[in-house]
């Protein structure tokens, strides 16, 4: 039986792993290669490495970190941040990544997804999408948008690009559906409302997304406890859960989380 | 040190399989040159890219691959590299494969998430096969694929995986082995499988 995956995420600036709240207030959290090896030995199913500055100057540093990280582990590695072309994808895969995550460049140029999935296979193209809830009082305020009544109120989800700095004004569900039809092999949604808060994942969003697309979904943003991860995999119907702070702070190991999930009947690799 | 050629299709991550084979105790080169493949003890067809593109890239090497097998070289196909060894594939139109294993490559049917991405368990049917020496039934290995092999020859089947239905995870005949999963991404279990392959190629 296919196991649910637990994926620690390493957000990187200038070759160091950082941790912030709602994409801001970044603090140093360690050396990426050391952290990658530690999470591998704790039983992580995959690792995600995101270059959150995504600057041109940072490219060489990123390639170097990808090579050293990939050489140090024997689990899959996804790399994202500032990927703009199929040539960028090729360089990162050649450096030892198994998958790339594409976010801003895919929104600005959706054909990039199709091009990359045709060349490298859809199994290595992950669509990362940053979303934020836009609350409305009544449905007529957001015509054409997918509205859901959440415990916090009626809302739709807007797509953000450039690391959460710029709103696109596009229904997130429609964008993901388009990206899947173009060849995205996995979806990795992050929430600007929940990221770094430790109060749980955006479950209504995840559950709706799972009903709409037939590719695997990696839930991201908001894990504060193993129970939150359980909820993302059950209520949120995700295939994998990504988390950062909960692991970086040493509150729980990956193995702690997996043992908890196993005790709740979730298939995990222990 | 036993020497392995990893066939380069010019697509995707070949660094990890090279590293994995080195950890398993072999010297590994990534190449698409016939004369370099001629001088190694074993050939690995790695698992990246699309069927047609990969087939086009290895076309000039096919006679060398067959000559190598007949001369006793061991061969390991991984993921797409396994699928290339079958009779034919329906990925991107109907294409002939190397026909070493009889059967057809088909898309994973609807009713499940496609691609299958993640760790799934092996059901080992032939525990005596040297590639699975020391591997327990039910071990987790890493899959990432949208197509599967419909194998026609029962004796070739070493292990299956279940993703709503059973299909081949490992096939083998003589010194030819193929895995639908990625041993180079499958932690210690994968490393053991690569070590088994290195052991096979020197015996």
């Amino acid at each position: 039986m296919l196991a649910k995956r637990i994926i620690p995420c390493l957000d990187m600036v200038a070759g160091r792993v950082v941790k912030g709240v709602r994409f801001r207030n970044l603090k140093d959290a360690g050396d990426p290669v050391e952290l990658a090896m530690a999470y591998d030995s704790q039983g992580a199913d995959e690792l995600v490495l995101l270059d959150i500055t995504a600057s041109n100057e940072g490219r060489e540093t990123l390639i170097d970190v990808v090579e050293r990280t990939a050489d140090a582990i024997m689990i899959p590695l996804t790399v994202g941040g500032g990927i703009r072309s199929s040539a960028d994808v090729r360089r990162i895969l050649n450096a030892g990544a198994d998958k790339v995550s594409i976010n801003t460049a895919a929104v600005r140029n959706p054909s990039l997804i199709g091009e990359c999935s045709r060349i490298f296979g859809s199994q290595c193209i992950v669509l990362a999408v940053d979303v934020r809830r836009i609350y409305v009082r009544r449905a007529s305020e957001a015509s054409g948008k997918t509205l859901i009544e959440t415990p916090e109120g009626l809302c739709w989800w807007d797509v953000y690009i450039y690391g959460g700095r710029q709103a696109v004004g596009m229904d997130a569900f429609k964008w993901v559906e388009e990206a899947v039809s173009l060849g995205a092999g996995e979806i990795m949604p992050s929430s600007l409302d929940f990221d770094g808060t430790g109060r749980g994942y955006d479950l209504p969003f995840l559950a709706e997304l799972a009903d709409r697309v037939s590719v695997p979904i990696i839930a991201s943003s908001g894990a504060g406890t193993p129970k939150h991860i359980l909820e993302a995999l059950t209520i949120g119907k995700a295939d994998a859960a990504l988390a950062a702070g909960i692991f970086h702070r040493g509150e729980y190991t990956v193995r702690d989380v997996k043992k908890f999930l196993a005790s709740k009947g979730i298939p995990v690799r222990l | 040190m036993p020497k392995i050629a990893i066939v380069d299709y010019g697509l995707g991550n070949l660094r990890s399989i090279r590293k994995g084979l080195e950890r398993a105790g072999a010297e590994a080169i990534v190449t698409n040159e016939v004369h370099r493949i001629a001088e190694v003890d074993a050939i690995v067809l790695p698992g990246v890219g699309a069927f047609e593109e990969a087939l086009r890239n290895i076309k000039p090497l096919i006679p060398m691959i067959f000559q190598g097998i007949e001369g006793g070289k061991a061969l390991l196909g991984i993921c797409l590299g396994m699928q290339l060894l079958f009779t034919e594939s329906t990925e991107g139109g109907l294409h002939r494969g190397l026909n070493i294993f009889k059967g057809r490559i088909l898309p994973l049917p609807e009713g499940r998430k496609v691609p299958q991405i993640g760790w799934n368990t092996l059901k080992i049917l032939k525990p005596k096969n040297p590639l699975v020496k020391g591997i327990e039934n039910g071990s987790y290995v890493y899959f990432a694929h949208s197509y599967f092999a419909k194998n026609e020859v029962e004796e070739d089947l070493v292990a299956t995986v279940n993703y709503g239905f059973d299909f081949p995870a490992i096939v083998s005949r003589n010194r030819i082995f193929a895995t639908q999963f990625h041993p180079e991404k499958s932690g210690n279990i994968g490393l053991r499988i690569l070590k088994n392959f290195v052991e096979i190629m020197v015996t």
Side-chain angles (χ1 to χ4, degrees):
Chain A
M1 189 176 197
L2 186 66
K4 298 283 187 181
R5 291 169 281 157
I6 301 302
I7 308 175
C9 179
L10 310 177
D11 287 331
M12 242 179 49
V13 172
R16 295 287 293 177
V17 177
V18 295
K19 182 61 200 157
V21 177
R22 292 195 184 90
F23 292 37
R24 299 280 179 274
N25 306 320
L26 303 172
K27 290 199 182 80
D28 189 86
D31 174 67
V33 180
E34 276 174 30
L35 278 167
M37 289 172 76
Y39 291 139
D40 184 3
S41 68
Q42 287 176 17
D45 294 307
E46 282 181 41
L47 288 174
V48 170
L49 194 62
L50 292 180
D51 175 8
I52 62 172
T53 46
S55 62
N56 286 323
E57 312 83 70
R59 285 288 97 166
E60 295 311 313
T61 313
L62 178 67
I63 294 293
D64 173 62
V65 171
V66 172
E67 287 180 348
R68 288 189 295 121
T69 306
D71 287 356
I73 58 175
M74 274 192 84
I75 54 173
L77 177 66
T78 300
V79 175
I83 292 169
R84 293 179 185 90
S85 65
S86 61
D88 289 343
V89 173
R90 188 182 299 271
R91 272 193 85 196
I92 287 172
L93 296 177
N94 285 344
D98 301 284
K99 303 185 248 184
V100 294
S101 80
I102 309 180
N103 188 337
T104 303
V107 173
R108 295 183 54 94
N109 172 25
S111 67
L112 181 64
I113 301 170
E115 182 191 344
C116 291
S117 70
R118 265 192 308 281
I119 301 172
F120 306 105
S122 64
Q123 80 292 336
C124 71
I125 306 301
V126 182
L127 179 81
V129 55
D130 294 336
V131 302
R132 170 170 277 155
R133 290 179 174 189
I134 308 294
Y135 292 99
V136 295
R137 271 162 301 187
R138 58 190 85 79
S140 58
E141 289 173 36
S143 71
K145 303 292 196 290
T146 308
L147 283 159
I148 293 177
E149 188 66 56
T150 71
E152 294 79 19
L154 185 67
C155 70
W156 63 281
W157 281 263
D158 196 357
V159 174
Y160 275 68
I161 54 176
Y162 297 114
R165 284 185 283 272
Q166 187 181 318
V168 181
M170 178 164 64
D171 186 273
F173 296 111
K174 288 188 184 123
W175 165 231
V176 171
E177 284 170 332
E178 184 189 345
V180 169
S181 74
L182 291 168
E186 260 181 307
I187 307 300
M188 190 165 76
S190 299
S191 163
L192 291 156
D193 304 288
F194 291 77
D195 188 74
T197 64
R199 60 190 173 97
Y201 294 81
D202 192 343
L203 300 175
F205 179 80
L206 290 172
E208 177 69 17
L209 193 64
D211 286 343
R212 284 169 174 254
V213 298
S214 61
V215 301
I217 293 168
I218 302 169
S220 169
S221 298
T225 66
K227 187 165 165 282
H228 292 150
I229 293 176
L230 173 69
E231 288 168 350
L233 301 173
T234 52
I235 303 167
K237 303 180 210 171
D239 303 280
L242 180 139
I246 182 176
F247 298 132
H248 298 339
R249 287 189 295 270
E251 290 161 9
Y252 300 93
T253 66
V254 176
R255 190 160 285 109
D256 292 338
V257 169
K258 290 175 114 180
K259 279 185 178 161
F260 171 77
L261 294 172
S263 76
K264 301 292 177 189
I266 304 293
V268 288
R269 178 183 70 109
L270 273 170
Chain B
M1 198 183 274
K3 201 167 171 184
I4 300 176
I6 299 161
V7 176
D8 185 3
Y9 322 138
L11 294 168
N13 176 13
L14 300 182
R15 189 183 174 97
S16 297
I17 180 63
R18 177 168 61 76
K19 206 77 199 170
L21 290 165
E22 285 170 5
R23 283 185 192 196
E27 182 189 342
I29 54 167
V30 174
T31 184
N32 60 3
E33 292 175 89
V34 170
H35 72 274
R36 297 198 71 192
I37 295 173
E39 67 193 27
V40 298
D41 307 297
I43 301 167
V44 169
L45 285 179
V48 288
F51 193 93
E52 189 182 4
E53 182 75 11
L55 197 63
R56 189 168 32 239
N57 291 341
I58 66 163
K59 208 138 220 177
L61 309 174
I62 291 176
M64 182 67 242
I65 292 170
F66 277 104
Q67 206 181 314
I69 296 167
E70 279 157 30
K73 282 193 211 309
L75 176 73
L76 175 63
I78 296 172
C79 196
L80 177 66
M82 162 178 169
Q83 299 186 351
L84 290 168
L85 301 177
F86 275 83
T87 309
E88 59 191 12
S89 170
T90 60
E91 183 182 347
L94 191 64
H95 302 284
R96 292 284 294 176
L98 271 61
N99 197 27
I100 291 171
F101 294 107
K102 306 290 173 197
R104 188 179 239 201
I105 306 305
L106 297 167
L108 285 169
E110 280 180 33
R112 72 218 74 226
K113 298 281 182 104
V114 177
Q116 171 176 227
I117 295 183
W119 299 76
N120 204 335
T121 47
L122 290 176
K123 183 173 164 194
I124 299 174
L125 308 176
K126 287 209 177 66
K128 294 230 163 65
N129 187 282
L131 197 70
V132 293
K133 196 172 121 191
I135 305 291
E136 280 176 40
N137 200 30
S139 294
Y140 277 105
V141 287
Y142 184 80
F143 292 83
H145 63 116
S146 301
Y147 287 76
F148 74 100
K150 193 165 170 14
N151 177 43
E152 284 171 14
V153 182
E154 196 68 33
E155 302 98 86
D156 293 342
L157 202 54
V158 176
T160 59
V161 60
N162 186 285
Y163 191 47
F165 65 107
D166 288 349
F167 55 86
I170 305 176
V171 289
S172 119
R173 189 175 333 122
N174 304 324
R175 290 166 69 74
I176 304 164
F177 302 84
T179 66
Q180 180 58 71
F181 57 90
H182 287 267
E184 79 280 17
K185 291 287 153 185
S186 297
N188 289 331
I189 302 290
L191 181 58
R192 179 66 203 254
I193 289 169
L194 293 178
K195 281 181 175 165
N196 287 343
F197 181 69
V198 171
E199 206 168 287
I200 290 162
M201 64 185 261
V202 296
T203 51

